[in-house]
Amino acid sequence: MRVPDTNEVQEQVLPRASQGSRSFLVLSPIMPLTSRFLPGWLRNYQREKLGADLLAGLVVTVLVIPQSLAYALLAGLPPQVGLYVSILPVIAYALLGSSMVQSVGPVAITAIMTYAVLSPLAAPGSPEYIGLAAALSLVSGAMLLACGAMRLGFLSQLLSRPVVSGFISGSAVLIIVSQMKHLLGLSLHGANAWQLLADLLRLFPGSHWPTLAIGSAALVTLAFVRSGLTWMLVRLGVSIGKATFVVRLMPLLVVLLATVVVIALDLDRRQGVAVVGTVVEGLPGFEFVFPAFDTLKRLLVPAAVMALIGMVQGITLAQTMAIKRRERIDANAELLGLGGANVVAAFSGGMPVGGGLSRSAINVAAGAQTPLASIVSAVSMIAVVAGAAHCFARLPLAVLAATIVMAAYTMIDIRGLRQAWAYDRADGLAWLGTAGGVLVFGLEAGIGLGVLLSMGTLLLRASTPHIAVIGRIPGSEHFRNVERYEVQTIPGVLFLRIDESLFFGNLGAVELRLNQALEQSSGIRHLVLVMSAVNRMDATAVEVLAEVNRDLAERNTRLHLAEVKGPVQDRLIRSELWASLS
């Protein structure tokens, strides 16, 4: 096959380009190199999706402004920080992550964790506090990046669903209690939910009633919007899609209306209603932040907890939305996206970010098709930060608190608790233990308690394996539990099926069950252990079975192993037990 020279290629290609053809080749070695580093969705972007992504990006920008301000205040940071981290971190995730519609930014869980970790170390809002928040974002982001680079996405499965649900539910209750000070105009200083609640009950008579009135009105309105407005609009003939969009829009309208009321009646100056205050206008500076060694030591464990929770929450949310859209995600790419977003956030605002359920729901409802919608939202947020930030200075804190309370209320997963309790009490106790640990001891201790409960449950189940006496179902070759089926048994032969891998932690229970079964049966000359469910055996298990074999031999009873799996048999062949059985 002859390879054409450059002149022949130019003669064939350049006329097509000069005729205005929409499909032509560009003889540049730069384009292939550049496109190789672009994400797949951008390399293969379909033009028909552009309009939907542009509209979705603009809608998301407008609707998440109050939420971004609120979560920054929840984290103990200046309000504009919530807007800052809705720019570059969003772009970083869009370029590195794999989800088409997940939206990252300030979220309730990372905000309350940031406040819980840093408030004992520095005064919220102080320069030192802001620096610590940036360091926390940097360290947790670096951990996520490292996990993604080492392809450790499977770590997101280490926490059971009941533990994650209990942690989020407990955190949501903590968030709600912490926002009561803004709804009531009180000063609460409790270190955990119980102390905050005690302060609340003690100080409630001294509530600032104008603040309480505004906050209560906003809370009741938002509760009605969430529970009844969609149904009412559908009854009036509005399509479910449009009704859902109106519901998403209502929190912004409530915030705008409350701000107008405060300005019109001068409630902040005349009645002392607390407002957001000065919101610094202009783009954030890109500052390099590297924590000192002492700071790094203090933040290492909290950052690891934040990275783990962010990993589980972000990947789970991305998977849920991908399933609904019949798409697939890459867990390792998600870690890179979330890690990159937090590292960038450390240098451009300083607040840890994560995958947001409400932000992502707004993104989907607005019609987003690809991450370009998030990039459009980030670029639009630049315009808001540069020219419209001052408009939020007189936004009442009570209304922002009401929006946070409603968002946190939806995070309390009572249904998950009921399901876990009905299916397995141990999982239900893990849910309750994690949620209770968060409320009583704090976020880090709560998740630690949940992990311990999960591991304890796992060890308990593994250490007490199910062992069944089995027999043959008449007319078949299938063996089943004698307590559940009508089966045939062979005189003098006892078949026992072990439904768990054998290791040092459960051998005592196995020996006890074997002895019980032998005592309950008389004249046993052959003991057959059916190993179909045994995937692993450690060295201790081999030694114990060898001892059992010797004890049985003294009783004139032979031990047999049936349905041994290949990997287990490969190890057993090298043991003395195998030779003694043959």
Side-chain angles (χ1 to χ4, degrees):
M1 178 178 178
R2 188 179 70 87
V3 179
D5 60 27
T6 305
N7 290 330
E8 289 177 314
V9 173
Q10 289 178 339
E11 290 175 359
Q12 294 175 6
V13 172
L14 292 181
R16 291 165 57 193
S18 63
Q19 294 171 5
S21 172
R22 295 178 59 186
S23 175
F24 60 91
L25 300 176
V26 179
L27 298 178
S28 171
I30 299 176
M31 290 303 294
L33 292 175
T34 304
S35 63
R36 187 174 64 180
F37 295 101
L38 295 177
W41 66 265
L42 190 54
R43 289 198 304 268
N44 306 308
Y45 191 81
Q46 300 174 7
R47 185 177 301 178
E48 57 268 21
K49 296 180 179 180
L50 181 60
D53 283 339
L54 289 174
L55 179 60
L58 295 173
V59 170
V60 170
T61 302
V62 174
L63 295 186
V64 302
I65 288 174
Q67 186 185 90
S68 300
L69 295 170
Y71 289 153
L73 293 172
L74 177 62
L77 294 164
Q80 66 270 8
V81 170
L83 303 179
Y84 292 164
V85 295
S86 297
I87 302 175
L88 292 181
V90 173
I91 296 175
Y93 175 80
L95 297 177
L96 296 174
S98 65
S99 174
M100 291 293 100
V101 292
Q102 179 167 238
S103 178
V104 304
V107 293
I109 292 296
T110 57
I112 192 64
M113 290 183 71
T114 299
Y115 182 81
V117 170
L118 302 183
S119 56
L121 305 178
S126 65
E128 182 183 3
Y129 187 95
I130 296 173
L132 288 172
L136 183 63
S137 180
L138 177 64
V139 175
S140 63
M143 290 178 176
L144 288 169
L145 277 177
C147 290
M150 292 186 291
R151 307 191 66 79
L152 300 179
F154 65 89
L155 292 177
S156 64
Q157 307 298 323
L158 289 182
L159 295 181
S160 67
R161 291 292 179 88
V163 168
V164 174
S165 176
F167 178 81
I168 293 176
S169 299
S171 301
V173 174
L174 183 59
I175 290 170
I176 291 173
V177 176
S178 70
Q179 292 306 294
M180 290 298 105
K181 60 184 179 183
H182 296 305
L183 281 172
L184 304 176
L186 297 173
S187 180
L188 306 178
H189 303 288
N192 54 46
W194 302 117
Q195 293 177 4
L196 286 171
L197 191 58
D199 287 350
L200 176 64
L201 295 175
R202 178 171 54 86
L203 299 174
F204 180 79
S207 300
H208 188 256
W209 297 107
T211 298
L212 177 59
I214 293 176
S216 299
L219 193 60
V220 170
T221 302
L222 292 173
F224 167 73
V225 167
R226 183 171 294 276
S227 62
L229 184 59
T230 302
W231 175 82
M232 179 183 294
L233 292 175
V234 171
R235 289 290 299 270
L236 293 175
V238 180
S239 67
I240 185 67
K242 292 181 179 179
T244 301
F245 180 75
V246 171
V247 170
R248 302 285 185 196
L249 186 64
M250 285 303 296
L252 176 64
L253 297 180
V254 170
V255 167
L256 293 177
L257 180 60
T259 303
V260 170
V261 170
V262 168
I263 294 173
L265 300 179
D266 209 14
L267 295 179
D268 52 338
R269 296 166 184 166
R270 292 184 178 181
Q271 301 295 331
V273 172
V275 295
V276 170
T278 302
V279 179
V280 178
E281 207 163 63
L283 297 176
F286 198 82
E287 300 179 2
F288 181 77
V289 178
F290 191 82
F293 183 70
D294 290 341
T295 302
L296 189 62
K297 287 195 300 183
R298 288 190 294 180
L299 297 182
L300 203 56
V301 173
V305 173
M306 182 173 287
L308 180 60
I309 294 300
M311 177 193 307
V312 173
Q313 186 181 25
I315 292 178
T316 301
L317 177 59
Q319 287 175 334
T320 301
M321 292 186 296
I323 291 172
K324 291 181 180 179
R325 293 169 55 87
R326 297 184 179 180
E327 297 170 347
R328 298 181 64 182
I329 69 159
D330 181 349
N332 297 306
E334 286 301 298
L335 293 181
L336 292 176
L338 293 170
N342 275 283
V343 170
V344 171
F347 301 139
S348 60
M351 179 181 178
V353 297
L357 175 59
S358 57
R359 296 175 72 98
S360 300
I362 293 172
N363 200 33
V364 172
Q369 299 298 311
T370 72
L372 181 62
S374 294
I375 295 177
V376 171
S377 174
V379 173
S380 303
M381 189 64 75
I382 293 176
V384 173
V385 170
H390 65 278
C391 298
F392 308 106
R394 300 183 72 179
L395 195 161
L397 292 179
V399 175
L400 286 182
T403 62
I404 293 176
V405 167
M406 286 308 305
Y409 174 76
T410 61
M411 293 160 53
I412 301 175
D413 188 14
I414 299 299
R415 179 170 173 267
L417 172 61
R418 287 200 299 264
Q419 290 179 339
W421 189 265
Y423 183 76
D424 191 327
R425 295 293 171 86
D427 283 338
L429 289 174
W431 193 105
L432 290 172
T434 306
V438 167
L439 295 175
V440 176
F441 303 113
L443 296 169
E444 294 175 54
I447 193 66
L449 182 59
V451 171
L452 288 177
L453 288 171
S454 291
M455 294 299 101
T457 300
L458 184 63
L459 289 175
L460 177 63
R461 291 168 179 162
S463 63
T464 54
H466 178 258
I467 299 178
V469 178
I470 60 175
R472 186 170 64 87
I473 296 178
S476 75
E477 298 299 325
H478 300 291
F479 286 75
R480 294 292 185 268
N481 192 334
V482 298
E483 297 180 1
R484 296 177 180 268
Y485 296 87
E486 293 292 334
V487 297
Q488 296 175 340
T489 59
I490 302 175
V493 181
L494 178 62
F495 288 85
L496 290 177
R497 189 187 66 224
I498 303 175
D499 294 335
E500 182 63 71
S501 293
L502 298 177
F503 72 107
F504 63 92
N506 62 11
L507 296 173
V510 170
E511 281 191 284
L512 178 62
R513 182 70 179 90
L514 293 181
N515 290 329
Q516 289 176 344
L518 289 170
E519 290 173 0
Q520 293 170 0
S521 305
S522 58
I524 299 299
R525 291 293 173 261
H526 298 275
L527 173 62
V528 181
L529 298 183
V530 180
M531 312 279 281
S532 56
V534 177
N535 297 315
R536 288 175 300 277
M537 288 178 60
D538 66 3
T540 306
V542 176
E543 292 181 8
V544 169
L545 285 184
E547 293 173 1
V548 169
N549 186 35
R550 287 192 291 268
D551 292 340
L552 291 175
E554 294 176 359
R555 305 182 193 180
N556 295 321
T557 302
R558 293 194 61 185
L559 176 65
H560 307 270
L561 303 183
E563 298 187 21
V564 180
K565 292 189 174 181
V568 177
Q569 180 174 323
D570 293 340
R571 291 174 178 269
L572 282 175
I573 289 175
R574 302 194 294 267
S575 70
E576 296 180 1
L577 171 64
W578 190 263
S580 66
L581 295 176
S582 58

